[in-house]
Amino acid sequence: MYTIRRATVDDAPTLSVLATRTFVETFGHLYPAQDLQDFLDEAYAVDRQRTILAHPDYAVWLLERDGVAVGHAAAGPCGLPHPDVQPGDRELKRLYLIKDEQSCGWGSRLLETALDWLERDGPHTLWLGVWSENFGAQRFYARYGFNKVGSYEFPVGSVRDLEFILRRPAGPAR
């Protein structure tokens, strides 16, 4: 049985393990081993996850199958490097499922949960970053009204990935 629930500070260790696993499954092959490990140690450390989970402007959801976390989404204020970002704009920070759970519809449900939260107090301009070569994710986000409006380099050690910046303008309540 699948469930989606908002993560709490107590979920920081679970989120750390899950975020590390899903990043490695999705992108691990792109990086030298030490660059990858250094990135994971910083980005997905338990203490960092605890800080995010405790922050009132951020939210993280866990997708669980039979009580085991198999996916997650994170959202909060927009921090992408684009000149049109305004105060109050919001961002989908992460959306990952373990490989065995992809393409079964739960990614859409997880995204819709995050989008509902991002627009909980009315329409907002929403942003996200996606790897330039992740064509499936780009098509997925386009179905939700996100369009490419820029790019930037995302550093993982010595590697600089070309990331696309996608935006969905504020509009009528959906």
Side-chain angles (χ1 to χ4, degrees), residues 29 33 35 37 72 77 81 86 90 100 105 126 132 138 158 174:
H29 65 283
D35 286 350
Q37 191 60 55
H72 71 287
Q86 298 294 311
R90 297 172 180 178
D100 292 346
L126 304 181
S132 60
Q138 291 169 43
S158 62
R174 298 171 205 273

Side-chain angles (χ1 to χ4, degrees), residues 142-156:
R143 290 195 303 267
Y144 287 88
F146 287 90
N147 296 298
K148 180 184 171 202
V149 295
S151 63
Y152 72 106
E153 290 186 346
F154 182 84
V156 177

Side-chain angles (χ1 to χ4, degrees), residues 34-124:
Q34 192 61 56
D35 286 350
L36 176 62
Q37 191 60 55
D38 291 346
F39 173 80
L40 296 171
D41 289 346
E42 179 189 342
Y44 300 130
V46 172
D47 286 343
R48 183 157 184 184
Q49 302 317 301
R50 194 172 285 120
T51 298
I52 291 166
L53 290 167
H55 197 288
D57 294 337
Y58 291 81
V60 177
W61 298 267
L62 295 174
L63 171 64
E64 296 176 327
R65 184 185 59 182
D66 299 326
V68 176
V70 296
H72 71 287
C78 186
L80 290 169
H82 192 281
D84 294 340
V85 171
Q86 298 294 311
D89 287 358
R90 297 172 180 178
E91 179 184 350
L92 177 70
K93 305 281 188 180
R94 297 192 306 233
L95 176 66
Y96 290 100
L97 279 73
I98 63 171
K99 281 198 182 287
D100 292 346
E101 300 295 337
Q102 294 174 4
S103 300
C104 62
W106 282 98
S108 294
R109 291 183 182 137
L110 198 52
L111 174 61
E112 289 162 7
T113 299
L115 294 177
D116 287 346
W117 182 83
L118 287 164
E119 296 193 311
R120 66 198 177 280
D121 55 354
H124 289 271

Side-chain angles (χ1 to χ4, degrees), residues 23-32 36 131:
F23 189 88
V24 170
E25 283 182 352
T26 306
F27 301 116
H29 65 283
L30 298 173
Y31 309 110
L36 176 62
W131 183 41

